Amino acid sequence: MHGSIPSEFGFGPPEPPRRPRRGWVYVLVMLAGVAGAVGLFAGALNLLMGHVANLTPQAEQRHEAATGVPDEAATLSGTARGLAEELDHVHEGIDVDWDASAVRTGTGIDEGQVVDSAPGIFMVDTMMMGFYGTGTGMVLTADGIAVTNYHVVENSTDVVVRMADTDIEYNATVLGRDSEHDVAVLQIEDAPELPVTSLNLSTPQIGDINAAVGNGGGQGYLTSVVGEVTALDKTILAGTDAAETTSRLTGLIETTADVVPGYSGGPLVDRDGQVIGVSTAASPGETTEEVNGYAIPIAVALEIVNQVLSGEETETVSIGVDGALGITILTTDDGPVIQDVAPDSAAEELGLRAGDLIISVEGEAVTTSSELARAINDRNVGDLVEVVWRDASGATQTGTATLQEAVVN
């Protein structure tokens, strides 16, 4: 779930904007011109949230008549339960202009209302080899434990967070991630006592009014888009316009809010401004009737935080930053071909060169850049992986690489 910002989401900011657009937003839009190029550093070319590629028929039938799901808050364990208790309605929440949203006219995608106050919410900037990505996230503890989408930070060489209410920037590191549920846990570095996010762990009901809040299109400030809950425990297949593969996401909240790229990892809030979910995907479309948003219930995100902080990996949860080879690749008709090899990288030590075609990783065939990226990213720094490739002479080579952290330029 990474790629370039599609033209249909090139909407402008509300007027007058409270903060200017950042100078590199235009670069993000133009990255559609390099679709297919993916970096296998432990860093990211992750520019937007996933679009819904398909809804499973079973999920549609199961949830047409749904009126709610069991309250997840009571089932939380360990750190997750502690966070739920500490953050439950801890303050007045995010200031959404509900009245202004209610009088919006027109059928186009809602450009949103500027958010004046959002304690604990930040914008995420990522970098990979000079390219920028953007998203949103939430602070869970005053010492800087935070959460965002995995696809926001996947492959990132550098992660910077900027607090929405103060405009102060901090570096952040990835403590762990769950690619299956699209959640990443961050540690914001060298930050003083940070404001935290205020949560509501009660299960929402179909028909409840809500709002998604985020850094739409990398605009550099927060806006909110209002909708209502239309389904619970939703299952979707999600990817981006440039993606070669999709991911199956389950247990989601569906909302009519016009969520767009840049809202990834940001809060879905209830009528009181309390966070009930983490925005992760949106259906494609050019009108408000076509676009729906999808969010991970906050209780699910807290359980993943709990697992990451425990330090124990599971089938879906990995600890630490992504593994990396230190290459960039491009999908061709033959498969993923190396475009560049970073100096002193794991790939260079292995003997990989620009122009080599990657055939498999750990015995699993890879036919696209996305497959190769996931095969590497799902492993940790220090892991040994067997790589099979075809070199410029046409000879097949096999070697074992020790995965590295990103080479930050």
Side-chain angles (χ1 to χ4, degrees):
M1 278 173 287
H2 52 275
S4 55
I5 295 177
S7 59
E8 63 262 36
F9 289 121
F11 58 91
E15 297 292 343
R18 297 302 179 93
R19 303 184 180 99
R21 279 181 176 268
R22 304 188 68 182
W24 46 262
V25 172
Y26 181 74
V27 176
L28 294 182
V29 175
M30 297 304 293
L31 282 178
V34 293
V38 178
L40 294 190
F41 294 97
L45 183 63
N46 329 286
L47 307 182
L48 56 120
M49 72 168 28
H51 293 172
V52 174
N54 185 36
L55 302 180
T56 63
Q58 295 88 349
E60 286 283 14
Q61 294 168 7
R62 185 168 67 251
H63 299 301
E64 280 181 354
T67 58
V69 296
D71 194 327
E72 297 291 342
T75 67
L76 294 177
S77 58
T79 299
R81 179 180 289 275
L83 287 172
E85 292 173 352
E86 292 177 10
L87 300 176
D88 181 35
H89 292 81
V90 69
H91 55 67
E92 293 183 356
I94 298 171
D95 185 14
V96 172
D97 191 340
W98 302 97
D99 292 335
S101 298
V103 298
R104 192 181 72 86
T105 60
T107 61
I109 295 175
D110 188 356
E111 295 178 356
Q113 303 295 324
V114 174
V115 173
D116 289 321
S117 176
I121 309 303
F122 55 83
M123 291 159 285
V124 185
D125 293 338
T126 61
M127 184 179 72
M128 182 268 200
M129 295 187 70
F131 296 111
Y132 290 92
T134 188
T136 311
M138 296 176 275
V139 177
L140 300 179
T141 68
D143 59 358
I145 300 298
V147 66
T148 187
N149 283 151
Y150 173 55
H151 79 258
V152 170
V153 297
E154 183 180 8
N155 301 324
S156 295
T157 60
D158 196 17
V159 179
V160 176
V161 306
R162 183 157 55 92
M163 301 307 298
D165 284 358
T166 65
D167 233 19
I168 298 175
E169 292 187 349
Y170 303 99
N171 293 323
T173 56
V174 179
L175 296 180
R177 70 277 185 195
D178 185 333
S179 58
E180 182 173 307
H181 294 94
D182 196 22
V183 172
V185 182
L186 308 181
Q187 173 67 64
I188 301 173
E189 301 172 356
D190 301 321
E193 191 87 356
L194 290 171
V196 295
T197 305
S198 189
L199 311 180
N200 178 5
L201 273 292
S202 298
T203 301
Q205 299 297 307
I206 290 177
D208 285 356
I209 300 299
N210 56 31
V213 175
N215 181 25
Q219 60 201 358
Y221 56 91
L222 297 180
T223 46
S224 64
V225 287
V226 172
E228 66 178 55
V229 176
T230 50
L232 301 168
D233 195 25
K234 197 75 172 181
T235 297
I236 64 173
L237 297 178
T240 64
D241 287 352
E244 298 141 339
T245 59
T246 58
S247 297
R248 184 174 183 269
L249 300 177
T250 63
L252 304 181
I253 302 167
E254 182 183 72
T255 173
T256 58
D258 291 352
V259 177
V260 297
Y263 278 65
S264 296
L268 181 70
V269 302
D270 64 15
R271 192 61 187 261
D272 295 323
Q274 305 294 306
V275 175
I276 60 173
V278 182
S279 294
T280 190
S283 55
E286 299 182 9
T287 70
T288 190
E289 289 79 11
E290 294 172 329
V291 175
N292 289 324
Y294 296 86
I296 304 157
I298 192 61
V300 173
L302 290 182
E303 283 287 16
I304 294 168
V305 172
N306 177 61
Q307 186 64 46
V308 168
L309 295 182
S310 77
E312 296 183 8
E313 296 195 346
T314 68
E315 289 186 2
T316 64
V317 174
S318 298
I319 308 301
V321 298
D322 291 345
L325 280 174
I327 60 177
T328 56
I329 55 176
L330 178 67
T331 296
T332 69
D333 291 340
D334 295 324
V337 172
I338 297 175
Q339 286 188 301
D340 186 52
V341 177
D344 301 319
S345 64
E348 185 179 73
E349 183 175 343
L350 180 61
L352 293 172
R353 300 289 182 266
D356 289 349
L357 173 72
I358 305 297
I359 298 172
S360 69
V361 174
E362 282 294 291
E364 295 291 330
V366 290
T367 60
T368 68
S369 56
S370 293
E371 289 179 359
L372 178 55
R374 186 50 56 89
I376 298 298
N377 297 159
D378 280 353
R379 293 177 167 84
N380 293 329
V381 176
D383 285 355
L384 299 177
V385 296
E386 183 185 75
V387 181
V388 179
W389 72 96
R390 188 169 70 230
D391 64 22
S393 71
T396 299
Q397 307 283 351
T398 301
T400 299
T402 302
L403 298 184
Q404 62 174 69
E405 290 193 44
V407 179
V408 182
N409 295 327

